[in-house]
Amino acid sequence: MKPSCRLLLGAAALSLASFAHADVVIEMHAVSKDGVGKPIGKVVATQSKYGVVFTPMLEGLPSRGTLHGFHVHQNPSCEPAEKNGKVVAALSAGGHYDPKSTNRHSFPWGTGHLGDLPALYVDQDGKASSPVLAPRLKLSDLKGRALMIHAGGDNYSDEPKALGGGGPRVACGVIR
């Protein structure tokens, strides 16, 4: 092959590579009112033609054998903060990512917060490994946010409890 052809093919490959989406690896940590705790694994976010796939590789989660609320939160922090005179785990992450200001919790494919994800299943051993799909998200939406796991499940409604009733924040990771 002529050197000019190799150069042209190399430039084309480099150009195509710039359009590829690199996976985003999110290191997850246990959180409490005392701060960010031990690492519990990671979640890999991958762009697909159907949205972002979140693939967890986590262990040591509470409430085994149940579903947990799983959301992208507004701010890139997992630190505690004070609310109404009480310190709350990972409150510095802010609320669910809601760039269109819907102020409404809904299904991941609905019209509410963009950060509303499908619930995360934790098996009897405290491990989570089942991927979930966020059909409205793009990888570019994630940078500078936090990924949060709540103690309880998520009913994708603000009734009877706000934000799906997921309860306290138990694990968090900053998305870089």
Side-chain angles (χ1 to χ4, degrees), residues 73-166:
H73 281 243
Q74 186 65 38
N75 305 319
S77 177
C78 294
E79 295 297 327
E82 192 173 312
K83 180 179 181 181
N84 299 328
K86 287 187 169 187
V87 177
V88 177
L91 189 62
S92 292
H96 297 179
Y97 178 50
D98 190 20
K100 293 185 178 180
S101 300
T102 66
N103 297 316
R104 193 167 78 78
H105 188 63
S106 185
F107 294 98
W109 53 89
T111 58
H113 306 140
L114 193 57
D116 293 339
L117 303 178
L120 183 70
Y121 176 72
V122 177
D123 70 17
Q124 292 297 331
D125 297 323
K127 296 178 181 178
S129 60
S130 297
V132 300
L133 173 68
R136 298 184 301 143
L137 281 174
K138 297 180 186 78
L139 279 181
S140 60
D141 295 320
L142 302 181
K143 186 175 181 172
R145 312 267 173 242
L147 185 62
M148 193 73 62
I149 301 171
H150 293 264
D154 190 337
N155 70 359
Y156 306 109
S157 174
D158 286 321
E159 308 261 337
K161 292 184 178 181
L163 302 173

Side-chain angles (χ1 to χ4, degrees), residues 8-111:
L8 184 59
L9 287 173
L14 182 59
S15 177
L16 287 174
S18 68
F19 289 108
H21 294 282
D23 290 349
V24 175
V25 178
I26 307 154
E27 299 296 329
M28 300 294 290
H29 294 265
V31 293
S32 73
K33 65 181 178 116
D34 297 323
V36 178
K38 67 178 182 165
I40 62 165
K42 64 185 175 182
V43 175
V44 177
T46 306
Q47 185 68 55
S48 80
K49 67 181 183 178
Y50 302 107
V52 175
V53 178
F54 290 86
T55 304
M57 293 166 250
L58 304 169
E59 56 186 39
L61 288 162
S63 301
R64 295 169 175 172
T66 61
L67 294 173
H68 291 261
F70 193 40
H71 310 101
V72 174
H73 281 243
Q74 186 65 38
N75 305 319
S77 177
C78 294
E79 295 297 327
E82 192 173 312
K83 180 179 181 181
N84 299 328
K86 287 187 169 187
V87 177
V88 177
L91 189 62
S92 292
H96 297 179
Y97 178 50
D98 190 20
K100 293 185 178 180
S101 300
T102 66
N103 297 316
R104 193 167 78 78
H105 188 63
S106 185
F107 294 98
W109 53 89
T111 58

